[in-house]
mmCIF file of all heavy atoms in Angstrom:
data_model
loop_
_atom_site.group_PDB
_atom_site.id
_atom_site.type_symbol
_atom_site.label_atom_id
_atom_site.label_comp_id
_atom_site.label_asym_id
_atom_site.label_seq_id
_atom_site.Cartn_x
_atom_site.Cartn_y
_atom_site.Cartn_z
ATOM 1 N N LYS D 1643 -142.049 -61.585 8.088
ATOM 2 C CA LYS D 1643 -141.617 -60.190 8.017
ATOM 3 C C LYS D 1643 -142.444 -59.409 7.006
ATOM 4 O O LYS D 1643 -142.938 -58.309 7.287
ATOM 5 C CB LYS D 1643 -140.134 -60.118 7.626
ATOM 6 C CG LYS D 1643 -139.158 -60.640 8.651
ATOM 7 C CD LYS D 1643 -137.749 -60.562 8.085
ATOM 8 C CE LYS D 1643 -136.735 -61.185 9.040
ATOM 9 N NZ LYS D 1643 -135.358 -61.103 8.504
ATOM 10 N N VAL D 1644 -142.567 -59.966 5.814
ATOM 11 C CA VAL D 1644 -143.317 -59.279 4.757
ATOM 12 C C VAL D 1644 -144.781 -59.129 5.162
ATOM 13 O O VAL D 1644 -145.400 -58.069 4.964
ATOM 14 C CB VAL D 1644 -143.189 -60.045 3.427
ATOM 15 C CG1 VAL D 1644 -144.127 -59.454 2.376
ATOM 16 C CG2 VAL D 1644 -141.751 -60.002 2.937
ATOM 17 N N GLY D 1645 -145.343 -60.196 5.742
ATOM 18 C CA GLY D 1645 -146.742 -60.143 6.156
ATOM 19 C C GLY D 1645 -147.001 -59.089 7.208
ATOM 20 O O GLY D 1645 -147.961 -58.310 7.113
ATOM 21 N N LEU D 1646 -146.129 -59.033 8.236
ATOM 22 C CA LEU D 1646 -146.305 -58.041 9.297
ATOM 23 C C LEU D 1646 -146.095 -56.620 8.769
ATOM 24 O O LEU D 1646 -146.843 -55.698 9.109
ATOM 25 C CB LEU D 1646 -145.334 -58.323 10.442
ATOM 26 C CG LEU D 1646 -145.651 -59.537 11.320
ATOM 27 C CD1 LEU D 1646 -144.523 -59.789 12.311
ATOM 28 C CD2 LEU D 1646 -146.963 -59.336 12.064
ATOM 29 N N GLY D 1647 -145.060 -56.438 7.931
ATOM 30 C CA GLY D 1647 -144.809 -55.109 7.377
ATOM 31 C C GLY D 1647 -145.966 -54.597 6.550
ATOM 32 O O GLY D 1647 -146.395 -53.443 6.680
ATOM 33 N N ALA D 1648 -146.498 -55.463 5.676
ATOM 34 C CA ALA D 1648 -147.627 -55.064 4.835
ATOM 35 C C ALA D 1648 -148.871 -54.797 5.684
ATOM 36 O O ALA D 1648 -149.625 -53.842 5.423
ATOM 37 C CB ALA D 1648 -147.909 -56.153 3.804
ATOM 38 N N THR D 1649 -149.084 -55.618 6.719
ATOM 39 C CA THR D 1649 -150.245 -55.427 7.596
ATOM 40 C C THR D 1649 -150.162 -54.100 8.337
ATOM 41 O O THR D 1649 -151.142 -53.340 8.401
ATOM 42 C CB THR D 1649 -150.352 -56.587 8.594
ATOM 43 O OG1 THR D 1649 -150.507 -57.816 7.877
ATOM 44 C CG2 THR D 1649 -151.536 -56.396 9.530
ATOM 45 N N PHE D 1650 -148.989 -53.812 8.901
ATOM 46 C CA PHE D 1650 -148.825 -52.557 9.633
ATOM 47 C C PHE D 1650 -149.020 -51.359 8.711
ATOM 48 O O PHE D 1650 -149.771 -50.428 9.020
ATOM 49 C CB PHE D 1650 -147.430 -52.501 10.268
ATOM 50 C CG PHE D 1650 -147.416 -52.835 11.730
ATOM 51 C CD1 PHE D 1650 -147.532 -54.142 12.157
ATOM 52 C CD2 PHE D 1650 -147.282 -51.844 12.675
ATOM 53 C CE1 PHE D 1650 -147.513 -54.456 13.505
ATOM 54 C CE2 PHE D 1650 -147.264 -52.140 14.035
ATOM 55 C CZ PHE D 1650 -147.390 -53.450 14.447
ATOM 56 N N ALA D 1651 -148.328 -51.365 7.560
ATOM 57 C CA ALA D 1651 -148.410 -50.221 6.651
ATOM 58 C C ALA D 1651 -149.836 -50.030 6.137
ATOM 59 O O ALA D 1651 -150.358 -48.902 6.107
ATOM 60 C CB ALA D 1651 -147.441 -50.413 5.486
ATOM 61 N N GLY D 1652 -150.481 -51.125 5.733
ATOM 62 C CA GLY D 1652 -151.847 -51.022 5.218
ATOM 63 C C GLY D 1652 -152.833 -50.552 6.268
ATOM 64 O O GLY D 1652 -153.722 -49.724 5.992
ATOM 65 N N THR D 1653 -152.667 -51.039 7.498
ATOM 66 C CA THR D 1653 -153.567 -50.630 8.579
ATOM 67 C C THR D 1653 -153.404 -49.153 8.898
ATOM 68 O O THR D 1653 -154.397 -48.437 9.139
ATOM 69 C CB THR D 1653 -153.304 -51.470 9.841
ATOM 70 O OG1 THR D 1653 -153.484 -52.858 9.527
ATOM 71 C CG2 THR D 1653 -154.245 -51.082 10.960
ATOM 72 N N ILE D 1654 -152.168 -48.677 8.910
ATOM 73 C CA ILE D 1654 -151.922 -47.255 9.186
ATOM 74 C C ILE D 1654 -152.637 -46.380 8.153
ATOM 75 O O ILE D 1654 -153.320 -45.405 8.501
ATOM 76 C CB ILE D 1654 -150.411 -46.974 9.193
ATOM 77 C CG1 ILE D 1654 -149.759 -47.587 10.434
ATOM 78 C CG2 ILE D 1654 -150.134 -45.465 9.163
ATOM 79 C CD1 ILE D 1654 -148.248 -47.554 10.407
#
Side-chain angles (χ1 to χ4, degrees):
K1643 292 177 185 181
V1644 172
L1646 287 174
T1649 300
F1650 259 76
T1653 302
I1654 289 171

